[in-house]
Amino acid sequence: MLLLDHCVAETVKKLRTIFGRNEATSATGVRKFLRKVRETGMLMGNRSHPRDRPVRTAERIAAVAQCVRENPRTSTRHRAQQLNVNRTSLRRILHKHLGLFAYKLQLTQEFSI
């Protein structure tokens, strides 16, 4: 344990010379990192579960399509509130799934699905 504390102290000292006193990792952070490497054998975090994409479902895409059919002049901000969808997700649905561009909806595009 004494050897480990010495290694941690030396590591913190070197990090402070490189990054500066306020930006360097603390001794607690170095200990956590060492424990993680000892337990997992890896430097990077282990993502065991890939992220789900629950927003862009077939039902949600159909709801957006119906909303656009009903009123193509509605802004994406207002439409996102109506459908309870994040604005970015709504724009992705409009563009990737429906082939529409949000800023052109009211002017030029015809909706055909």
Side-chain angles (χ1 to χ4, degrees):
M1 187 67 171
L2 186 63
L3 181 62
L4 179 65
D5 286 338
H6 177 70
C7 291
V8 169
E10 288 296 317
T11 303
V12 170
K13 186 187 284 186
K14 287 181 183 178
L15 287 172
R16 284 183 178 167
T17 60
I18 295 169
F19 295 108
R21 183 170 183 81
N22 294 331
E23 299 297 321
T25 304
S26 65
T28 305
V30 172
R31 282 191 200 95
K32 285 181 182 179
F33 179 75
L34 288 173
R35 184 174 353 137
K36 180 178 175 181
V37 170
R38 261 189 264 120
E39 290 172 0
T40 64
M42 296 171 38
L43 299 177
M44 301 292 290
N46 184 13
R47 280 195 152 198
S48 59
H49 304 289
R51 290 187 331 162
D52 291 334
R53 304 277 186 212
V55 173
R56 292 190 288 171
T57 61
E59 295 83 19
R60 187 68 54 102
I61 293 167
V64 171
Q66 180 63 31
C67 186
V68 171
R69 260 190 232 109
E70 290 172 2
N71 190 1
R73 296 181 64 101
T74 304
S75 69
T76 54
R77 180 177 292 182
H78 190 109
R79 186 172 315 217
Q81 284 179 336
Q82 285 177 340
L83 298 170
N84 196 23
V85 179
N86 186 301
R87 283 173 52 199
T88 305
S89 298
L90 177 68
R91 284 192 299 268
R92 285 183 181 136
I93 289 171
L94 288 170
H95 181 69
K96 292 184 177 184
H97 297 282
L98 303 178
L100 302 174
F101 296 89
Y103 60 91
K104 291 184 180 178
L105 280 177
Q106 63 182 344
L107 299 177
T108 59
Q109 293 182 354
E110 273 190 39
F111 186 69
S112 58
I113 280 192

